[in-house]
Structures are given as C-alpha cells and as structure tokens.
C-alpha cells in the first residue's frame, strides 16, 4: 500500500493554486456549517419548554455524539500511526 498523504499536504509553494484554496475553503465551510447546525439544534432543543420531558433523550444524543467524536479521533489517530509506520518501513527498505 502506498502512502497517499502526498496530495493532501501542500508543501510545494508552486502547487498552492486556486483549486487547492477553493478545496480547503469548501472543506472548512462544510465543517463549520455542520458544527453550527449541531449547535443550533442543541440550543433550540434546550431552550424549548418541553426540554424537561425530552431531557433523557437529549442527554442520550449528546452521549452518542461524544462517543462518536472520540471514536473518529481514535480512528484518525490509528490511521496516522499506521501511515507513519508504513513510511518508516518504506524508508528502511
């Protein structure tokens, strides 16, 4: 398996074109919009009068969301360690 991190990391100033900037901006905007959507939905739910009835449901959703973020972080962390190990093995060979 080849190391596929090269196209994702722009270390060459000549490759910092408009396409790369547009891609990075689109990714940042998509991420921020999802965070804003999640925050707005949580705020509207907490500020509603029926919050006490739905409190257990909301806490369960927040718990699942926290577990999801932790799992995604651990998966990315393991993937980076794996790619680093592959790169070291490739350099030694």
């Amino acid at each position: 398996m080849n190391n596929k991190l090269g196209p994702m990391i722009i270390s060459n100033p000549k490759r910092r074109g408009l396409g790369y900037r547009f891609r990075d901006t689109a990714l940042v905007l998509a991420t921020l919009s999802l965070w804003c959507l999640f925050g707005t939905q949580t705020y509207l739910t907490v500020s509603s009068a029926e919050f006490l009835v739905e409190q257990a449901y909301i806490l369960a959703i927040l718990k699942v969301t926290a577990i999801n973020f932790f799992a995604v972080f651990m998966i990315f962390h393991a993937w980076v360690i794996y790619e680093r190990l592959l790169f070291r093995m490739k350099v030694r060979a």
Side-chain angles (χ1 to χ4, degrees), residues 9-21:
I9 300 171
I10 303 170
S11 60
N12 187 355
K14 294 178 184 176
R15 293 181 61 194
R16 292 184 186 163
L18 187 61
Y20 287 100
R21 292 177 194 266

Side-chain angles (χ1 to χ4, degrees), residues 21-34:
R21 292 177 194 266
F22 179 72
R23 179 197 67 185
D24 294 343
T25 305
L27 287 172
V28 167
L29 288 176
T31 304
L32 289 177
S33 64
L34 286 174

Side-chain angles (χ1 to χ4, degrees):
M1 179 177 217
N2 293 334
N3 190 349
K4 307 243 187 237
L5 289 176
M8 296 302 290
I9 300 171
I10 303 170
S11 60
N12 187 355
K14 294 178 184 176
R15 293 181 61 194
R16 292 184 186 163
L18 187 61
Y20 287 100
R21 292 177 194 266
F22 179 72
R23 179 197 67 185
D24 294 343
T25 305
L27 287 172
V28 167
L29 288 176
T31 304
L32 289 177
S33 64
L34 286 174
W35 274 104
C36 288
L37 180 66
F38 178 74
T40 304
Q41 183 181 8
T42 304
Y43 173 74
L44 290 175
T45 303
V46 169
S47 64
S48 71
E50 300 171 354
F51 176 67
L52 294 176
V53 176
E54 299 175 353
Q55 186 175 9
Y57 176 70
I58 297 302
L59 289 176
I61 288 175
L62 291 175
K63 190 182 299 184
V64 168
T65 304
I67 292 170
N68 184 20
F69 280 119
F70 180 74
V72 168
F73 175 77
M74 292 307 293
I75 288 170
F76 278 129
H77 185 68
W79 176 66
V80 167
I81 290 173
Y82 174 71
E83 288 291 331
R84 189 181 298 167
L85 179 66
L86 285 179
F87 180 73
R88 286 181 187 162
M89 290 172 54
K90 187 176 179 181
V91 169
R92 288 182 188 166

